[in-house]
Amino acid sequence: MREPPVSLLLLIFPFFWIALSWTISQLMGWARIARTYMAYHRPEGERYRGRSMEFGRWASYGNSVNATLSSEGIHLSMFPLFAIGHPPMIIPWSMVTGLKENVLFKSVTGLQVQMEVEGKQLKLYLPPRARPAVDRYTRGRFAQPERPAQKSPEEESVLDVIHNIVG
């Protein structure tokens, strides 16, 4: 059996990629949410590229979401290679339902912005440096959690370390 010529594969691949990207957007819910919260411009604000985001329990976009924090809301767009079927959107700050700091060995390693949009639970992962902007735009609705008193390395058990890693 002969293998298909490379030129045929190069011709078919873009159509496959477009169909795959569009299908993912439909199945994960991005397209549905974007119809309601369509962004017609990217607002001025703090921009974070290559972020990860979860759409519900099973769907996630790893390191492919660009987020801009502004007074208008959280502007979300996809890395251009994955943008087909994923129009940019702006999620209003009123949709933010929670904020969680990810901690590893007593250091904040990330910020999880939790949202509920059209019945879907979304989680956007930002770097810790985004905390002041999120606090400013949410008007401090999510106060920084109090941290327990620091333990010396001798007092910290293996279970404490595991608890900090897992959250």
Side-chain angles (χ1 to χ4, degrees):
M1 184 171 173
R2 286 182 30 186
E3 292 184 24
V6 173
S7 58
L8 179 62
L9 294 176
L10 291 175
L11 180 67
I12 292 173
F13 184 76
F15 295 105
F16 169 77
W17 189 258
I18 289 168
L20 180 66
S21 183
W22 183 86
T23 302
I24 288 171
S25 122
Q26 300 300 311
L27 294 176
M28 290 194 179
W30 183 292
R32 181 173 51 89
I33 293 170
R35 279 192 286 277
T36 303
Y37 298 101
M38 182 80 66
Y40 297 99
H41 70 286
R42 190 181 79 217
E44 292 295 319
E46 296 181 38
R47 188 161 193 207
Y48 302 95
R49 295 174 192 251
R51 308 314 311 164
S52 294
M53 189 166 185
E54 292 179 17
F55 269 66
R57 176 176 264 163
W58 308 109
S60 66
Y61 293 95
N63 303 321
S64 57
V65 177
N66 299 319
T68 302
L69 309 181
S70 76
S71 59
E72 294 178 49
I74 303 172
H75 179 273
L76 301 170
S77 63
M78 291 295 288
F79 181 73
L81 190 59
F82 308 110
I84 295 169
H86 295 83
M89 57 182 155
I90 296 180
I91 305 296
W93 288 106
S94 61
M95 299 292 175
V96 174
T97 58
L99 211 50
K100 180 181 174 191
E101 290 181 336
N102 298 327
V103 178
L104 179 65
F105 299 113
K106 298 187 174 102
S107 296
V108 177
T109 59
L111 188 64
Q112 183 186 103
V113 180
Q114 301 164 348
M115 301 168 263
E116 184 170 339
V117 183
E118 297 190 5
K120 199 162 194 71
Q121 300 295 321
L122 310 180
K123 294 177 185 173
L124 173 64
Y125 295 91
L126 296 172
R129 70 179 185 274
R131 181 72 197 231
V134 172
D135 285 341
R136 184 172 61 248
Y137 294 127
T138 59
R139 294 178 171 78
R141 283 190 295 151
F142 308 101
Q144 290 192 9
E146 289 188 28
R147 298 227 168 80
Q150 297 280 336
K151 294 181 182 178
S152 70
E154 296 82 30
E155 295 175 312
E156 188 166 47
S157 71
V158 172
L159 290 176
D160 290 333
V161 171
I162 292 171
H163 175 72
N164 287 334
I165 292 171
V166 175

